[in-house]
Structures are given as C-alpha cells and as structure tokens.
Amino acid sequence: MLYKLTACLLITIFAATAAFAQTISVEGEVTHPLKLGAADISKMQRTEVTAADRDGKPHRYSGVPVTTILQQAGVTLGAQLKGENMSKYLLVKSGDGYEVLFSLAELDSAFTDRVIILADQVDGQPLPDGKGPFRIVVPGEKKPARWIWEVTTMTVRFAKD
Amino acid sequence: MILFGMMALTFVNGRIPFTGEPYPLEYPASFGNRTNIPADNPLTKEGVYLGRRLFYEKMLSAGNKISCGACHMQQLAFTDGKAFSTGIDGVPTDRNAMSLANLLWVKNFFWDGRASSLEQQALTPLAAPHEMGQLPEISAEKLQRSKVYPGLFHAAFGTQIISGEAIVKALAQFERTLISANSPYDRYLNGQYQPGSAALRGMQLFMTAPAPERQVRGANCGHCHGGPKLYLEVFHNNGLDSIPRDAGREKQTGVAADKGRFRVPTLRNIALTAPYMHDGRFRTLEEVLDHYSDHIRNSASLSPVLRNTSNEAGGASLRLSKQEKKDIIAFLQLLTDSSFITNPAFSNPFN
C-alpha cells in the first residue's frame, strides 16, 4: 500500500516537472548552474533589437542579452575574459536537437557592440508555435542559421585538443 | 612478448578487461569524427566477430526462435519490409523496424531517441516480450553452456565468463562497423559517378528551399535529411497527423512541443527500406512524396521548417509537380549502397 502510494506520488511529481519542462538549463564551466523558466527571464533586465529573419523583413525582437544570463551563472566574461578563458565557447541546444556555437568573445560587450539576445517576443507578441518560447537572435548576421529556436540548454565549455 | 603481456592486462574503465586487436574503422573524412563509442568498449576484431555471431544467434531469444537478424535483414539494409515486426510471440511491435546503417554517428537511438548508446539500446529487443523475450543474463547462461562461445568471449573480453554486459558490448561493436559509404551518391561526391539528368534535378530540389517570391523551386528535404551522411541528429514533427496516435518523443520528455516528434531517420538505402515512417504507413516513395507535397497536417508541434514552406505563395505543403516528385525519387535511388547489403563481413555467419 505504502509502496503504491509512493509510486503514485512519484508519478505525479514526474508529470508535474514534465509539464513545466520548458526551461533553459545553463551549465558547464559556470559557478552557478541555472534552470530558468519564463518567470525568471521576465525579471531580468530586458532589451530590444531590430533584425531581419529569413523573410528578409526587419522585426523587433525583445528579450534578455545572452551575457546577462551568463553573468548570472558566473561565466568568465568582462575582465575575466582573457588567457585560457579565450578558448571557451557557448553551445546552445534546441529541443529539436539542433546545436550552434558562439565563442565567449563574440558575445562579450568588452569585445563587441553587437548584442546577441535570448528573445521571447517578436513585434510585441510571444514567439510563434515551434519557435518559442525562447530563441536566439543575432543582429547583423547575414544568414539566420544561428537564430536557434526552442532553446533548451546553454553549455559553456573549454575547447579541448 | 612483454608488450603482449601488458596488452592482455590492460583494463579500460569498465569491469570487463579487454584484449584483442583494434578494429580499424574506415569512413570518408566528410562524415566527420563526431562518433559515439563509449570509452569502455573500444572495437576489437575479436569483439566485432563475436558481435556478428551474436547478432544472428537465435539462442539470445526465448525458445531459440529468432535473432536480431530476423527484423534487421542485410539485403533490406537491416530492415524487414514490414510495417510492424513480429518477434517470438507473433504480437506486432509498436513501431517500424529501423535500418541499421552508420549507427556510429547516432547519439540517441530509437524513433524517439530514448537510448543513448548501442549497448543500452540492445537491452530493449533482447528483453522485450514481443521481440526476443529473454533477459541477457539468461542468454549468458545459455551461451556459457555452448562449446564455442566461452572461447569467443575470452578472445574478445579476456574472460570465459559470459555476462549480459559482455553480450551487449559485443553486439554494439558489430553494429558500429555497419558503415554505408559507397552509394552512387557517395561516388558522385568523390567525383567518380555522373548521375542522370532526372537524379541531378531531384538532387537540386532536395537541397533547395522553395522561394516562390524569387521563382526558386525546391523541396527542402536536405534541411532535415542533408549532409554527406544524409543524416542529421534532429527531431521533428513532419506533419503526418494533427492528433498523432503515437506521441513519439513527447512520451520521453513530457514536453508538448515534442508531440508527434520523431528522430529524423537516415535516408541511406531508402529505396530498400519500405514501408516508411515510424508506423510504416507509406508503402512507396511515391506515397512519401505525395505526403510532403500535398498532405502536411498542421498542429501546434508541426516543425517550423515545414510551415509556410511551399512552391506556391501561401501554400500549406510543398506543391511539387508530378515530374518533380519523380526527379526526387530518382535522386533517392542514388542512395542505395549495394556493397553495403552484400558485404560478407555483415552477413549471417551461420549460413
């Protein structure tokens, strides 16, 4: 009986976590691994960029600079981004399995004025089905191949060998 | 002599010590080296040979009825030609048997990606009541009593004592050698084969995204099925149903976006592996092309790659012409690797 109850409880907990599984994990070479939900991200300092998707037309994307998230996780940015930390990269993964890579230097405001964001809105609306809830937007890039949608994981690693 | 002694004593990570001669894997540089080989199961010639025997060994099933080869037949690129397979008890499986080619580069096995290594994958068909219906530990006891197997396991793993773990390791080693890289398409990429004009037009369509506003016609298959391996490890809902009977990856993750999402399978040897899709619903490539051209079903989890992707402005499916469908099929025929399906190294050693 007790066993059955525990099993039931476990299944319920599992189902509940699964229902809220649309979160972003920030892991790897970080001092504080994060699991961010929509509520966490809406509390962060927001920004807006205008950029053109595959349709060639400019849209207003709003969200959070990727560096803001990485800073919360304690990634070596700013003054710490030198020496061996220059061989670190960020790998972003989508729920569909697609993966794209950024070097830390191409994200950091000490190196570039371009602000790469994790967007949750386009033209004031939530992202459409399939592309949300979070998508990377890279302003000024000629091909939107790194505008990875349905972001689920951001992993910082050292390039090895 | 001393060197040999040291080799025999080497223990790599796992509990099973291994001996044996390394098995060299050969594949085109364009396939890349992002392979999936666990550190505790490096390929050896002895391990691969044992794995091949085990793949065709009926003793691994309850009542010694079937082997892996019953549902994964070499002449059909390791499929069985059926929508659903039947194992020891005649009850059909839930999904279509998958082709086993270039598994070396796969990270998440099965239609829903639920197994992360071939070692882990093999436990399912071995134990599943509608497949082989026998726990690997029982198989190990049966093999232990045979004349040949203790010696073969000793050669592969340095011990006569047969375990379930050693069985799945040997199977995995053999499966990693199932490399298909010699189709006419591979030879075309090497500059050694000139496709006919229909196949060339089909290839162009396969690799191109349609853009009616710029008068560009395309089928965009390569977005999900592209690259020199014709395999990308991604999961999509390709619009088979609005309300799928099989929820696919959603069953794994519980995420609504994964409803009706399946791993994009390899298109290598696709002309040999009918019927198609996770439930074998399409009998021919013509039916597959009709699906992508005219019958994409909308839903909240339909792949964004298939939304608003049409050769007609505002179209909901690709809208290919009859000739275009034929051309794409002519290209798909170039993916048949006849040396793969006749390679003696992959064949049933009991025949």
Side-chain angles (χ1 to χ4, degrees), chain A residues 14 18-19 21-22 91 95-99 129-131 149-150, chain B residues 34 107 233-236 253-255 257-258 261 300 304-305 307:
Chain A
F14 176 74
Q22 288 285 47
L91 189 69
D96 69 16
Y98 186 56
E99 291 169 308
D129 277 344
K131 300 214 171 166
W149 58 58
E150 210 190 318
Chain B
R34 212 179 180 195
K107 283 185 284 178
E233 184 133 331
V234 285
F235 296 84
H236 283 274
T253 63
V255 175
D258 285 331
R261 210 180 228 179
V305 180
R307 288 167 194 261

Side-chain angles (χ1 to χ4, degrees), chain B residues 21-323:
Chain B
E21 208 182 316
Y23 182 102
L25 286 166
E26 278 168 33
Y27 52 84
S30 61
F31 280 23
N33 299 311
R34 212 179 180 195
T35 54
N36 183 358
I37 306 178
D40 65 353
N41 194 19
L43 275 69
T44 61
K45 289 190 172 155
E46 294 80 359
V48 169
Y49 175 69
L50 172 61
R52 175 176 161 214
R53 275 191 73 122
L54 293 175
F55 189 86
Y56 292 102
E57 177 55 76
K58 292 182 181 171
M59 272 199 277
L60 299 189
S61 70
N64 302 340
K65 282 189 187 148
I66 58 165
S67 68
C68 310
C71 299
H72 299 288
M73 296 153 67
Q74 186 183 10
Q75 71 270 29
L76 298 178
F78 296 98
T79 60
D80 61 0
K82 299 178 191 158
F84 298 108
S85 317
T86 43
I88 50 155
D89 64 355
V91 177
T93 51
D94 293 335
R95 293 185 182 141
N96 180 252
M98 300 175 85
S99 170
L100 309 183
N102 299 340
L103 298 171
L104 185 58
W105 291 271
V106 177
K107 283 185 284 178
N108 299 282
F109 297 88
F110 288 127
W111 283 102
D112 52 9
R114 67 188 183 279
S116 60
S117 68
L118 282 167
E119 287 78 358
Q120 194 195 334
Q121 188 283 329
L123 295 171
T124 298
L126 287 170
H130 305 321
E131 295 183 49
M132 297 164 74
Q134 179 172 286
L135 289 173
E137 290 68 33
I138 309 282
S139 300
E141 285 169 21
K142 281 162 82 174
L143 297 179
Q144 194 76 63
R145 289 194 294 270
S146 79
K147 278 213 178 69
V148 285
Y149 280 106
L152 291 173
F153 276 84
H154 184 262
F157 298 114
T159 167
Q160 298 240 5
I161 304 189
I162 302 175
S163 65
E165 187 187 350
I167 292 175
V168 298
K169 281 188 164 175
L171 282 168
Q173 287 194 32
F174 169 63
E175 292 177 282
R176 291 193 176 100
T177 68
L178 301 175
I179 294 172
S180 167
N182 193 29
S183 69
Y185 179 62
D186 297 296
R187 280 181 266 134
Y188 160 78
L189 292 179
N190 285 336
Q192 296 158 341
Y193 176 85
Q194 179 55 36
S197 57
L200 280 174
R201 287 194 304 270
M203 187 186 321
Q204 177 73 23
L205 289 162
F206 187 95
M207 304 296 176
T208 310
E213 66 287 356
R214 287 183 283 123
Q215 279 85 48
V216 175
R217 293 194 65 86
N220 205 25
C221 318
H223 189 103
C224 295
H225 293 286
K229 296 194 293 288
L230 300 151
Y231 176 70
L232 303 167
E233 184 133 331
V234 285
F235 296 84
H236 283 274
N237 174 325
N238 68 341
L240 295 174
D241 305 288
S242 293
I243 303 170
R245 190 146 25 117
D246 183 340
R249 197 157 166 76
E250 189 193 24
K251 284 196 229 169
Q252 265 331 92
T253 63
V255 175
D258 285 331
K259 191 187 282 300
R261 210 180 228 179
F262 291 89
R263 204 183 85 211
V264 176
T266 180
L267 293 192
R268 271 191 182 266
N269 301 302
I270 195 69
L272 302 171
T273 65
Y276 302 108
M277 305 298 165
H278 67 272
D279 53 5
R281 67 176 64 194
F282 299 133
R283 281 170 299 129
T284 60
L285 288 172
E286 284 73 13
E287 289 180 18
V288 172
L289 266 295
D290 285 345
H291 162 72
Y292 284 110
S293 172
D294 308 308
H295 306 296
I296 294 289
R297 303 271 181 249
N298 202 1
S299 68
S301 57
L302 174 63
S303 169
V305 180
L306 295 167
R307 288 167 194 261
N308 313 316
T309 304
S310 179
N311 289 291
E312 278 171 15
S317 301
L318 284 172
R319 301 283 173 214
L320 298 165
S321 72
K322 260 198 179 137
Q323 186 59 48

